[in-house]
Amino acid sequence: MIRTGSIRQGITWLVVSLSVLLCAFTALVLSLMHVKQLNENAELRTQDIAKVVAEATSRYLLFDDVEGLNNYLRYLQATSFLQHLHVYERNSVADNQRLRYFASYNREGLSPIPVRTEVVESFKGVRSRSTYIEAVQPVTIDGEILGFVYLRGSRAGIISSTWKTFATASVMVVVAGLFALLVSMRVRSRLTRQLDHSVGIIQRISRHRDYSIQLPESNLLELQQLSIAVNTMLSRVRQHLERQQQAERQANELNTELERQVQQRTTALRESNEELMATLEKLHQFQRQLIESEKMSSLGDLIAGVAHEINTPVGLVLTSTSILQDKLDLMQEKFANNTITRNDFERFMQASDDNLGLIQRNIERTADLINQFRQLAMDQFAEEARDIPAYAFCQSTIAAVQNRMPELAEVDVVIDCPQDLHIHCRSGPLLHVLTQLVQNSAIHGFEERLRGKITLQIQRLDASHVELRYHDDGAGIPEQLGRRVFDPFITSRRRQGSTGLGLHLVYNLVTQALDGTIDVESKAGRYTEFRIKITA
């Protein structure tokens, strides 16, 4: 089942999704940059405070003035950012320098922190933690280090600013999404208005079968190209229907004129015409189904092929009957004037025999074409599936084709198939598929070659599927045909009598009667390979 979607929904989701993603990405990048800047500013501020305190602390350490330093540190209460501050003095005992606690500052309401001598000794500078920023700054006088200042600042402000930044970014994304939704609704309304109008016209054409209706021009390039293509197709359909009606009128007139003199031949011709009209009616129904299922692209080829294949013998029949009627009128005129001679009668008989023979051959050709059309329906393959020994079946099928086609005598056929492989499917369709492929190789692949090779490989893929690979090293399929080889009336030998229905029938048998798939790969002048996967 084909899942359908709406262009309106597609445009809306596309515009909204791209806008939201772009806005979210931009907001995320800007937020991260802002958070990074906040952290850098906080670290720089912490380092600056540490430097200022270190410069002011040097004289207190020099004179060992603990009380003065504590009084100085009380002024740091005005800096809400600062949480804790330790001052350590470097003391030399027996040439072993070590740090000792000298003074500290703790913000009101916060508990003191342990001595951080190990931190002071491990790094110099500033670094960030999850909830605070710490910095270490040496206290020097004339290049001599008297001690160190350890400072810890709060990151609460940074965390609060980070949350505000991401909240603002989220609001921006939501606003951008709403704005994109409004823009997409406006855009899709403009784009789909003309498309809806064109779809309505096509539905009216399909419903009323009025092929004189034309799609209007559009200011959008894609819709303009669609209008041109549909209008061209409708013109061709209308021309075909007019030719068909004209052919019907001519056939009825000729049947009336020939009814008295060639009753037997006229009866056969009338029956053939009735069968032809039934076939054309079926093809017309098929044409409507193609239009309704939007398979517009192949309709022109189908109608052109049917018209070419059937109009050719019908045209010859009409020409022969016209000639025969002229001869008959001339003989009637001479008979009425009593001027007919033996030579005139013999020439009339000879012309009648030749024209009636031509009429018979072309009616038989029309009947053969109709029989080939019937094969496309596959009514004759309504048999039940049965168990088939694959190797023996392929061997007997290819042998039968070789007996009917002497040109395959110099072609080497290799069957690569397990002897014990059995497949469960309809034998009639499978027989016709293999026969048609071998015949195509003989007629098309090895037409201009004395020798060749055909390889048929069969293997089981799983419990319910079998793959057949048919490969020949013949002339290959012309590049201009490509995948169109499965379309009806596609052939490179139309002038040699081919109808182009063989591979189309093979495609229908594989996909419908055998419930499978078929693919083709070919290189012109090198090889052709068909890969068939069936349910068996």
Side-chain angles (χ1 to χ4, degrees):
M1 180 178 179
I2 299 177
R3 299 181 61 184
T4 58
S6 170
I7 294 180
R8 296 183 178 88
Q9 294 177 354
I11 293 175
T12 301
W13 281 110
L14 179 63
V15 174
V16 173
S17 300
L18 290 178
S19 300
V20 171
L21 288 176
L22 180 60
C23 184
F25 177 76
T26 304
L28 178 62
V29 171
L30 293 177
S31 299
L32 293 177
M33 292 177 62
H34 180 65
V35 171
K36 181 180 179 182
Q37 186 65 37
L38 289 176
N39 287 323
E40 291 177 352
N41 292 339
E43 291 178 356
L44 183 60
R45 180 183 180 188
T46 303
Q47 193 170 13
D48 291 341
I49 295 176
K51 289 180 179 179
V52 171
V53 174
E55 291 178 359
T57 305
S58 58
R59 61 188 181 88
Y60 296 107
L61 287 178
L62 182 62
F63 297 104
D64 198 20
D65 186 2
V66 176
E67 183 177 356
L69 180 58
N70 286 327
N71 292 332
Y72 170 76
L73 294 178
R74 290 191 187 96
Y75 292 105
L76 297 178
Q77 288 288 346
T79 306
S80 60
F81 166 74
L82 187 62
Q83 290 182 325
H84 305 283
L85 187 145
H86 286 184
V87 178
Y88 300 97
E89 180 184 17
R90 172 175 284 183
N91 191 15
S92 298
V93 178
D95 297 331
N96 183 20
Q97 294 183 351
R98 62 178 183 177
L99 299 178
R100 70 180 182 87
Y101 173 79
F102 188 78
S104 66
Y105 161 77
N106 296 290
R107 184 165 184 77
E108 185 177 356
L110 297 179
S111 301
I113 61 174
V115 175
R116 306 288 287 173
T117 56
E118 73 283 355
V119 176
V120 172
E121 294 175 347
S122 62
F123 86 101
K124 304 295 185 295
V126 62
R127 63 183 179 184
S128 296
R129 300 297 187 181
S130 60
T131 58
Y132 61 86
I133 301 174
E134 58 184 2
V136 174
Q137 181 67 32
V139 180
T140 62
I141 293 180
D142 296 331
E144 181 182 358
I145 299 177
L146 301 180
F148 294 92
V149 173
Y150 171 79
L151 184 147
R152 178 182 291 185
S154 175
R155 294 187 76 251
I158 298 176
I159 296 174
S160 176
S161 298
T162 300
W163 282 110
K164 291 180 181 179
T165 299
F166 283 109
T168 303
S170 300
V171 172
M172 290 175 58
V173 172
V174 173
V175 172
L178 295 176
F179 180 75
L181 179 62
L182 295 176
V183 172
S184 65
M185 293 176 64
R186 178 66 178 175
V187 171
R188 78 180 188 184
S189 175
R190 182 177 181 274
L191 291 179
T192 59
R193 186 184 303 112
Q194 298 183 17
L195 182 60
D196 291 339
H197 181 61
S198 299
V199 171
I201 294 177
I202 294 176
Q203 290 176 345
R204 188 165 73 252
I205 294 173
S206 174
R207 185 167 52 252
H208 300 291
R209 303 177 189 174
D210 184 2
Y211 303 112
S212 62
I213 301 176
Q214 299 287 302
L215 292 184
E217 295 184 354
S218 173
N219 55 359
L220 296 177
L221 177 60
E222 291 78 4
L223 291 181
Q224 178 66 12
Q225 293 176 346
L226 175 63
S227 300
I228 294 174
V230 173
N231 291 336
T232 302
M233 185 206 63
L234 292 174
S235 299
R236 292 179 180 177
V237 171
R238 187 170 61 254
Q239 292 174 2
H240 167 71
L241 293 177
E242 292 174 355
R243 288 196 300 267
Q244 176 183 333
Q245 293 173 359
Q246 183 180 2
E248 292 175 4
R249 290 194 298 269
Q250 292 177 354
N252 291 331
E253 292 174 358
L254 290 174
N255 287 336
T256 302
E257 293 174 359
L258 292 175
E259 188 175 14
R260 291 176 300 166
Q261 302 295 329
V262 286
Q263 184 65 40
Q264 183 178 359
R265 299 296 183 182
T266 305
T267 301
L269 180 61
R270 184 185 304 112
E271 293 175 354
S272 298
N273 285 336
E274 291 175 354
E275 190 172 2
L276 173 62
M277 295 308 301
T279 303
L280 290 176
E281 180 60 25
K282 290 182 180 179
L283 291 176
H284 187 63
Q285 294 176 0
F286 183 50
Q287 167 195 342
R288 292 196 301 269
Q289 293 174 359
L290 287 177
I291 295 176
E292 293 173 353
S293 62
E294 297 183 358
K295 295 182 180 178
M296 301 294 187
S297 60
S298 61
L299 180 59
D301 292 339
L302 178 62
I303 298 304
V306 173
H308 176 78
E309 296 296 335
I310 295 181
N311 282 341
T312 298
V314 171
L316 292 175
V317 169
L318 294 177
T319 302
S320 299
T321 52
S322 177
I323 294 173
L324 188 59
Q325 180 63 40
D326 293 340
K327 296 287 185 181
L328 181 60
D329 292 340
L330 181 60
M331 289 298 294
Q332 288 178 344
E333 181 180 354
K334 290 185 178 182
F335 181 78
N337 296 332
N338 200 18
T339 59
I340 190 171
T341 65
R342 181 182 180 87
N343 290 334
D344 292 337
F345 187 73
E346 289 178 351
R347 286 195 297 270
F348 173 72
M349 293 296 293
Q350 181 64 36
S352 298
D353 185 63
D354 293 341
N355 283 280
L356 290 176
L358 182 61
I359 291 173
Q360 182 178 4
R361 288 193 299 272
N362 283 279
I363 290 177
E364 290 174 352
R365 174 169 172 77
T366 303
D368 291 339
L369 288 172
I370 293 173
N371 287 332
Q372 292 187 36
F373 297 152
R374 286 178 175 175
Q375 285 186 343
L376 296 179
M378 296 178 295
D379 292 339
Q380 68 274 33
F381 298 116
E383 60 178 304
E384 295 294 331
R386 63 183 181 87
D387 193 62
I388 302 172
Y391 184 84
F393 181 82
C394 296
Q395 195 175 38
S396 61
T397 300
I398 293 177
V401 179
Q402 289 176 329
N403 291 335
R404 293 199 307 269
M405 305 186 72
E407 55 267 40
L408 290 173
E410 299 298 327
V411 176
D412 186 18
V413 181
V414 178
I415 301 177
D416 182 8
C417 174
Q419 295 283 346
D420 58 347
L421 177 62
H422 284 68
I423 57 179
H424 188 76
C425 66
R426 298 175 179 176
S427 60
L430 183 59
L431 173 65
H432 192 96
V433 168
L434 295 178
T435 301
Q436 186 64 51
L437 292 179
V438 177
Q439 289 178 351
N440 274 14
S441 296
I443 296 173
H444 300 279
F446 304 121
E447 178 184 12
E448 299 178 357
R449 298 179 55 180
L450 297 178
R451 300 186 62 84
K453 182 177 180 181
I454 296 175
T455 303
L456 177 60
Q457 181 183 15
I458 304 178
Q459 61 179 351
R460 179 167 291 282
L461 300 178
D462 51 44
S464 58
H465 293 91
V466 170
E467 182 184 58
L468 292 82
R469 286 178 175 261
Y470 180 88
H471 180 97
D472 70 50
D473 58 355
I477 299 173
E479 295 181 358
Q480 64 269 21
L481 295 184
R483 284 286 300 174
R484 297 179 63 237
V485 294
F486 295 124
D487 293 346
F489 307 109
I490 298 300
T491 179
S492 60
R493 292 173 48 89
R494 187 173 302 280
R495 295 183 179 179
Q496 287 78 22
S498 296
T499 61
L501 294 175
L503 288 182
H504 180 61
L505 178 57
V506 168
Y507 180 85
N508 288 342
L509 290 174
V510 171
T511 57
Q512 300 181 32
L514 298 177
D515 190 20
T517 60
I518 180 171
D519 292 304
V520 61
E521 180 180 348
S522 178
K523 294 290 185 181
R526 295 178 57 189
Y527 70 90
T528 299
E529 180 175 287
F530 291 90
R531 293 184 297 275
I532 302 173
K533 180 180 177 183
I534 64 174
T535 301

